Amino acid sequence: MPIRWRLTLWFSVILCVALVLAGVIIYIVLQNHLHSEVDDNLKVYAAEIKDYIGSDIVMAPDDYDVVCDAACACSPALREFGSPGVHVRLIDGNGNIVGRSENLGDLELPVEESLIERGLAGEAGTATLTASDGTKIRVMTDQIQGQHEPLILEVGQSLRHIDAAMNQVRWALIGSLLAALAFAIVSGGILVRRALAPVVDIARTAQNIEESSDLSKRVGYDGPKDEIGQLATTFDHMIEHLEKAFESQRLFIADASHDLRSPLTVLQGNLDLLKRDLGEEERRESLRAIEAETHRMSRIVDDLLLLAEVESGQIEWRGRVSLREVLLESAERGQQLAGDRKVVVGRQEDIFIRGDAHRLKRLLGNLVDNAIRYTPEGGTITLSLFRNEDWACINVVDEGMGIAPEHLPHVFERFYMVDRARSRSHGGSGLGLTIVKAIAEQHGGKVTVTSELGKGSTFTVWLKL
Ligand code: ADP
């Protein structure tokens, strides 16, 4: 069953229970109120009759009706009493009816034994009796003193009108309950359908994407920013990320294949050459080329493996790392590779972070290698480490050729090389800065770069403290 039908059903069942409960309570309260009003009336009537008749009632059985009728005729209250809805009976201790008002006519009314017992004990009592024609009669009994023995005075009032009214109330309640339910089911169904429409859109979009493998499809939700709105927006963002990830994966595979194919072509060419009868010098030249290309390939493969490892989010060791030590080690290593260039250390604060020392050394090593690679002989490379608010900053400043503004936003992309031939001649693969960025991000940080053509570049690594 679709969720919208289930929700509507639940909603309607709960509403139905609540309405039935409210209806039953209203019905019972109203009925009790009307009955208690009747009881109050009966109490007044009984008291007035008792006062009127007093204790010297004549106990001649034939006269009871006369006594009663006389009583009814004498008091305005009792005249009212004698109206069609109200009757009076006198009952002796054995439950025999010894007198009854005329308005009861042929109507047979049972005698409630418990009321007789209570009456004889001097207590007033009330009960609802069913007459021979099925009418409900509310009776109140009290004791009055007869000539020879105590008698029970029973005053009763028909509940026919109240029952008729309550019957109407009952049907009105059932009718309004059914109408409310029908309204709730229809309007609830429409509301739930409207509220869940984005979920249906999400499911449809997901299905379309699955069937067509087209990640450019979106839900395109533009309704209120409630939970379902957030779900639809998050779904679109997720698909957008996936699309970008797939696209970059596609480009990555294309770039990686391309970059591995050129050394393979060189290898293949040189192997073909070696199969021929070559002179010693040419043979050595071919072997040198094979060695260089093998080196390049192995570097690319190493870089790719490291990148895959870093981007998978695995971090081998999250110990306390002294960034100062990392900086000094990288500077020392740089000095050995720098030739006529100088590698100096500027500001060096004592800063510790949690991270992977090995990878942080690799990060700094890549930046220092690049700085050396692109700085002419005699130039200086300055490394510094300092605190900037919540960040530990490592600067690698060189006095090299710099990077043109149009290349600057792309230098961290995979296989991006400003000058392919030049980078290759240095043994570059275009993965160095991608690895730097990935390691920085793995440590909750980032890398920024500023550069001026012909003057030099400044790479800054920001690591969260
Ligand atoms: P590569 O292996 O080619 O050095 P990188 O990812 O390390 O690859 O760098 C990408 C490109 O950024 C390089 O081709 C180079 O042109 C440019 N670059 C990187 N560092 C510097 C620098 N310090 N000075 C000038 N250009 C740089």
Side-chain angles (χ1 to χ4, degrees):
M1 192 194 276
I3 190 164
R4 74 190 142 102
W5 286 122
R6 257 184 296 158
L7 279 177
T8 311
L9 199 74
W10 274 112
F11 173 59
S12 308
V13 167
I14 291 168
L15 187 75
C16 181
V17 170
L19 286 177
V20 166
L21 218 71
V24 168
I25 291 171
I26 289 173
Y27 188 85
I28 291 174
V29 167
L30 186 63
Q31 194 173 43
N32 285 348
H33 174 74
L34 292 175
H35 282 183
S36 76
E37 269 196 344
V38 170
D39 286 353
D40 289 347
N41 282 343
L42 290 177
K43 206 182 281 174
V44 171
Y45 293 150
E48 284 189 10
I49 291 182
K50 221 172 145 183
D51 281 354
Y52 180 77
I53 296 174
S55 55
D56 36 54
I57 187 167
V58 183
M59 287 298 293
D62 293 343
D63 291 346
Y64 281 135
D65 286 349
V66 181
V67 169
C68 249
D69 289 343
C72 296
C74 293
S75 156
L78 294 181
R79 208 177 298 127
E80 193 185 318
F81 216 58
S83 65
V86 181
H87 77 266
V88 181
R89 291 197 302 181
L90 283 172
I91 303 163
D92 68 13
N94 299 319
N96 300 316
I97 297 159
V98 291
R100 45 189 264 157
S101 59
E102 275 181 347
N103 60 358
L104 266 175
D106 298 335
L107 205 65
E108 292 296 326
L109 201 60
V111 173
E112 180 72 28
E113 276 183 27
S114 62
L115 289 182
I116 307 280
E117 279 168 21
R118 290 182 69 181
L120 290 177
E123 288 174 26
T126 49
T128 303
L129 308 177
T130 308
S132 52
D133 66 351
T135 315
K136 293 260 184 288
I137 307 235
R138 187 78 175 159
V139 295
M140 172 166 283
T141 52
D142 204 353
Q143 191 194 70
I144 60 169
Q145 192 52 50
Q147 195 180 33
H148 306 296
E149 54 172 340
L151 295 174
I152 308 300
L153 169 69
E154 180 195 270
V155 186
Q157 183 175 341
S158 166
L159 294 179
R160 189 186 292 135
H161 299 297
I162 291 179
D163 282 350
M166 288 314 293
N167 208 24
Q168 280 186 3
V169 168
R170 189 165 49 236
W171 283 113
L173 283 173
I174 291 173
S176 42
L177 181 131
L178 291 177
L181 259 186
F183 180 70
I185 290 173
V186 173
S187 58
I190 292 171
L191 281 178
V192 171
R193 189 197 176 98
R194 199 174 292 171
L196 291 180
V199 178
V200 176
D201 283 349
I202 292 172
R204 199 180 301 127
T205 311
Q207 205 171 350
N208 279 345
I209 290 173
E210 196 194 5
E211 283 166 4
S212 62
S213 303
D214 179 3
L215 283 168
S216 66
K217 294 191 190 312
R218 299 285 181 276
V219 177
Y221 177 82
D222 65 348
K225 294 272 167 263
D226 51 14
E227 291 85 342
I228 290 187
Q230 277 174 11
L231 176 69
T233 316
T234 312
F235 179 83
D236 274 356
H237 285 162
M238 194 183 76
I239 297 297
E240 199 176 316
H241 281 304
L242 276 180
E243 190 183 16
K244 279 189 188 151
F246 274 116
E247 181 58 17
S248 88
Q249 193 132 334
R250 197 185 60 74
L251 287 174
F252 174 65
I253 292 170
D255 288 343
S257 326
H258 181 265
D259 266 63
L260 286 172
R261 210 172 51 196
S262 38
L264 278 174
T265 314
V266 178
L267 283 180
Q268 189 67 52
N270 281 288
L271 285 172
D272 286 347
L273 271 180
L274 283 174
K275 281 182 202 156
R276 291 191 208 150
D277 221 3
L278 291 178
E280 186 56 26
E281 189 48 38
E282 285 166 312
R283 213 175 63 85
R284 281 219 184 113
E285 188 57 38
S286 278
L287 284 173
R288 259 199 299 276
I290 288 175
E291 195 180 12
E293 290 309 313
T294 318
H295 252 93
R296 224 167 79 71
M297 272 174 63
S298 109
R299 211 189 131 186
I300 292 176
V301 171
D302 282 352
D303 283 353
L304 284 175
L305 278 176
L306 176 69
L307 201 57
E309 217 176 274
V310 174
E311 286 185 344
S312 74
Q314 295 166 13
I315 193 152
E316 280 163 15
W317 173 244
R318 265 213 176 265
R320 221 164 96 91
V321 181
S322 162
L323 289 180
R324 190 160 166 262
E325 268 176 35
V326 172
L327 187 88
L328 292 176
E329 254 182 61
S330 301
E332 200 180 310
R333 182 182 151 275
Q335 273 152 12
Q336 286 162 15
L337 302 171
D340 287 341
R341 301 161 193 92
K342 273 194 277 175
V343 178
V344 298
V345 177
R347 268 171 85 181
Q348 39 171 308
E349 292 179 18
D350 245 340
I351 302 176
F352 291 85
I353 64 156
R354 297 198 70 77
D356 182 338
H358 185 68
R359 285 192 181 159
L360 287 169
K361 277 180 204 162
R362 176 69 191 261
L363 174 157
L364 210 51
N366 280 8
L367 288 178
V368 173
D369 285 355
N370 276 352
I372 294 171
R373 206 176 282 163
Y374 298 106
T375 300
E377 302 221 332
T380 305
I381 292 125
T382 312
L383 307 186
S384 42
L385 167 67
F386 54 92
R387 238 186 220 94
N388 187 347
E389 296 181 353
D390 287 348
W391 299 92
C393 292
I394 305 173
N395 265 1
V396 179
V397 185
D398 66 50
E399 296 172 346
M401 55 189 280
I403 305 166
E406 67 269 24
H407 293 295
L408 218 47
H410 304 290
V411 290
F412 295 104
E413 290 170 10
R414 286 169 180 159
F415 296 111
Y416 192 85
M417 296 178 223
V418 174
D419 180 346
R420 209 156 260 274
R422 191 186 168 116
S423 285
R424 286 230 168 105
S425 69
H426 288 301
S429 63
L431 287 171
L433 289 180
T434 315
I435 291 174
V436 168
K437 181 171 172 254
I439 296 177
E441 284 175 356
Q442 191 191 31
H443 284 78
K446 58 184 178 181
V447 201
T448 53
V449 56
T450 54
S451 188
E452 211 177 318
L453 261 185
K455 288 205 169 159
S457 315
T458 301
F459 283 85
T460 308
V461 182
W462 303 72
L463 298 170
K464 202 88 187 145
L465 282 174

